[in-house]
Amino acid sequence: MSELWKLSATEAAALIRQRKASAVEVCQSALERLETVNSKINAIVQRTDEEALAAAQTVDDALMKGEDPGPLAGVPVTIKVNVDQKGYPTTNGLKIQSNLVAQEDSPVVSNLRRSGAVIVGRTNTPAFSLRWFTRNSLHGHTLNPVNSKLTPGGSSGGAAAAVASGMCAIGHGTDIGGSIRYPAYACGIQGIRPTLGRIPAANFSGPDRHIGAQLMAVSGPLARSVADLRLALGAMTVKDLRDPWWAPVPYDLGDYPKRAALTISPEGLSVQPAIENALRDAAAKLRDAGWEVVETECPPFREPSRLQALLWLAETRRSGSEMIATEADPDASFVYGQMERLSPAPDLDGFMDALQRRATLLRSWNLFLDDYAVLICPVSAELPFPDQLDVSSPETFERIMEAQLTQVGLPLMGLPGLSVFTGSFDRVPCGVQLVAGRFREDVLLSAATEIELRGPPVTIAEPTG
């Protein structure tokens, strides 16, 4: 088998542009890798071989004519099954949506196509994209290619597993409560949740979402290197006014103080020793790169986490409870029941108060992140969880919710966050989270690059099944 599948997105695009390899050859190699490993982990649940090879040929034809095929020329990518891709069902892991075939691409898919990317398949998500674990009654169970005893994360667990195992160079993910950052962490790769409005995205196979999800849900890339995140983000951010939240903000917003905040235990969060060691090591790497790092408390995560759940569940309570009952997915039913128990339904005044409070919380974060260009904090208080731990008992579910405090709290403010790999312990990946001000993905990527350069490289996982 050709080993072109091992290339990073940056390497593959450069090689194809130089015509040292064809886009078709790179695509064929990725499809061969998919054929070899996907049956062991079930990351890609809808293959798109014929369409992928045609797209790759289009890239080669453009280069033959001297045309620019785009920044992701011939790069193999995947799309998560909760996002519209023309001609494919937007299942969101649901049997009741197995025939919900998209009639047009989501803006994020359109941008990837325009960039020259080659879509090799669609990746798994838990039912309703509701968990940090990836299993559903329609597409089945996705395993972590690094260690099958651990969750691959969720809800973009299929995307992270596909990237980590070399089936694609870039995986598309979505994040409303950690669904990009946590799978990247669990699979030992890199993942960025961009600012609300940075990457245009929308689904036209159903009605627009309610205000909570509109303010918190974003699309973003997962990759094996920070350079590939940078390349992917640039391609995915192109103007598309079909997303009313898209904002024409420059990618590079200029100088910033190389001053970072380090918060080990936000609001008393009890972190495992390995997590504290990773955080302090990341801070030391930034200091080595010339950054000033100050250990300090950060603005609150607990209240944003509570309000995030309130706003998210308000949408589900209004339009999703009946769907959850109809789907009858055991995992989703248990998780939704626990979330309802932990987050009482608001009345109209409570809902309005939550939106009002969001502005106050965002103000405090904006001011903090103006003083400190980056916050270094946990992705999770624990190393990646044993697979399916969340559905083992109500008590365990509460433990997981506590550990994921920073995952859930951040989206309320629409801020960007990046999970950067820092190393593994006996086949258990670890990483740290970087947070920056609105539209300062450039700062996140720069800081993550310094940590990446001084740490162990991401290696492609060989699933054992």
Side-chain angles (χ1 to χ4, degrees), residues 78-80 82-84 106-109 111-112 156 171-176 179-181 191-203 209 213-214 216-222 232-233 236-237 243 416-417 441:
T78 54
I79 304 297
K80 189 174 174 181
N82 68 347
V83 164
D84 285 354
S106 167
V108 67
V109 176
N111 276 346
L112 285 168
S156 305
H172 158 267
T174 62
D175 190 315
I176 192 174
S179 290
I180 290 171
R181 292 162 290 145
I192 186 168
R193 171 202 156 84
T195 309
L196 172 70
R198 174 63 82 183
I199 292 177
N203 278 346
R209 301 187 70 175
Q214 288 186 39
M216 299 186 295
V218 298
S219 281
L222 300 97
L233 197 62
M236 296 165 85
T237 58
D243 180 356
E441 290 84 3

Side-chain angles (χ1 to χ4, degrees), residues 135-360:
R135 183 173 73 177
N136 61 67
S137 302
L138 174 63
H139 300 304
H141 191 178
T142 295
L143 300 180
N144 189 325
V146 178
N147 184 338
S148 61
K149 294 180 180 179
L150 303 176
T151 176
S155 60
S156 305
V163 171
S165 60
M167 287 188 273
C168 61
I170 293 167
H172 158 267
T174 62
D175 190 315
I176 192 174
S179 290
I180 290 171
R181 292 162 290 145
Y182 190 71
Y185 173 77
C187 289
I189 59 174
Q190 324 289 25
I192 186 168
R193 171 202 156 84
T195 309
L196 172 70
R198 174 63 82 183
I199 292 177
N203 278 346
F204 309 108
S205 56
D208 285 318
R209 301 187 70 175
H210 293 291
I211 188 62
Q214 288 186 39
L215 290 172
M216 299 186 295
V218 298
S219 281
L222 300 97
R224 294 188 297 271
S225 72
V226 177
D228 282 3
L229 288 185
R230 189 187 304 272
L231 183 67
L233 197 62
M236 296 165 85
T237 58
V238 176
K239 173 182 178 179
D240 194 318
L241 296 180
R242 290 180 296 164
D243 180 356
W245 289 101
W246 179 81
V249 179
Y251 192 59
D252 186 342
L253 291 177
D255 293 339
Y256 53 89
K258 287 194 173 182
R259 189 165 187 253
L262 170 64
T263 304
I264 302 293
S265 304
E267 297 183 273
L269 181 68
S270 178
V271 301
Q272 293 177 339
I275 306 300
E276 179 171 354
N277 291 340
L279 290 164
R280 295 197 182 282
D281 182 62
K285 287 177 168 61
L286 279 188
R287 286 192 185 101
D288 185 62
W291 283 65
E292 177 190 4
V293 181
V294 179
E295 187 166 351
T296 182
E297 281 299 311
C298 65
F301 276 108
R302 290 196 181 278
E303 186 177 8
S305 179
R306 179 180 66 81
L307 297 178
Q308 188 270 5
L310 183 153
L311 291 173
W312 188 10
L313 284 179
E315 174 177 33
T316 309
R317 283 181 164 115
R318 182 174 183 193
S319 58
S321 294
E322 185 176 338
M323 291 178 65
I324 289 172
T326 302
E327 180 67 19
D329 179 272
D331 296 339
S333 297
F334 178 84
V335 169
Y336 180 60
Q338 297 307 307
M339 292 178 70
E340 278 200 309
R341 178 175 65 85
L342 296 174
S343 181
D347 58 15
L348 178 59
D349 287 342
F351 191 83
M352 291 174 65
D353 289 345
L355 292 173
Q356 179 189 46
R357 186 63 181 157
R358 177 184 181 273
T360 305

Side-chain angles (χ1 to χ4, degrees), residues 15 29 43 96 128 171 176 271 310 327 353 398 402 418 444:
L15 206 66
S29 182
I96 57 176
F128 298 96
I176 192 174
V271 301
L310 183 153
E327 180 67 19
D353 289 345
E398 288 190 42
E402 169 68 6
L418 189 153
L444 289 180

Side-chain angles (χ1 to χ4, degrees), residues 331-402:
D331 296 339
S333 297
F334 178 84
V335 169
Y336 180 60
Q338 297 307 307
M339 292 178 70
E340 278 200 309
R341 178 175 65 85
L342 296 174
S343 181
D347 58 15
L348 178 59
D349 287 342
F351 191 83
M352 291 174 65
D353 289 345
L355 292 173
Q356 179 189 46
R357 186 63 181 157
R358 177 184 181 273
T360 305
L361 292 163
L362 179 54
R363 181 181 297 114
S364 68
W365 275 94
N366 282 345
L367 292 170
F368 179 82
L369 293 169
D370 188 55
D371 193 13
Y372 300 98
V374 164
L375 167 67
I376 310 166
C377 68
V379 178
S380 174
E382 299 190 25
L383 291 169
F385 305 118
D387 203 12
Q388 303 303 308
L389 184 67
D390 63 333
V391 294
S392 61
S393 71
E395 294 76 20
T396 303
F397 184 86
E398 288 190 42
R399 166 190 149 193
I400 288 171
M401 287 297 294
E402 169 68 6

Side-chain angles (χ1 to χ4, degrees), residues 40-77:
K40 300 174 183 177
I41 58 173
N42 191 40
I44 292 176
V45 293
Q46 294 172 330
R47 295 184 60 160
T48 59
D49 297 34
E50 185 176 337
E51 185 179 298
L53 288 166
Q57 187 62 59
T58 298
V59 169
D60 288 335
D61 291 346
L63 288 168
M64 284 285 289
K65 297 173 186 174
E67 299 171 354
D68 182 359
L72 293 179
V75 173
V77 306

Side-chain angles (χ1 to χ4, degrees), residues 92-93 124-131 133-136 154-157:
N92 202 17
N124 205 15
T125 188
F128 298 96
S129 295
L130 194 59
R131 305 168 64 208
F133 303 76
T134 299
R135 183 173 73 177
N136 61 67
S155 60
S156 305

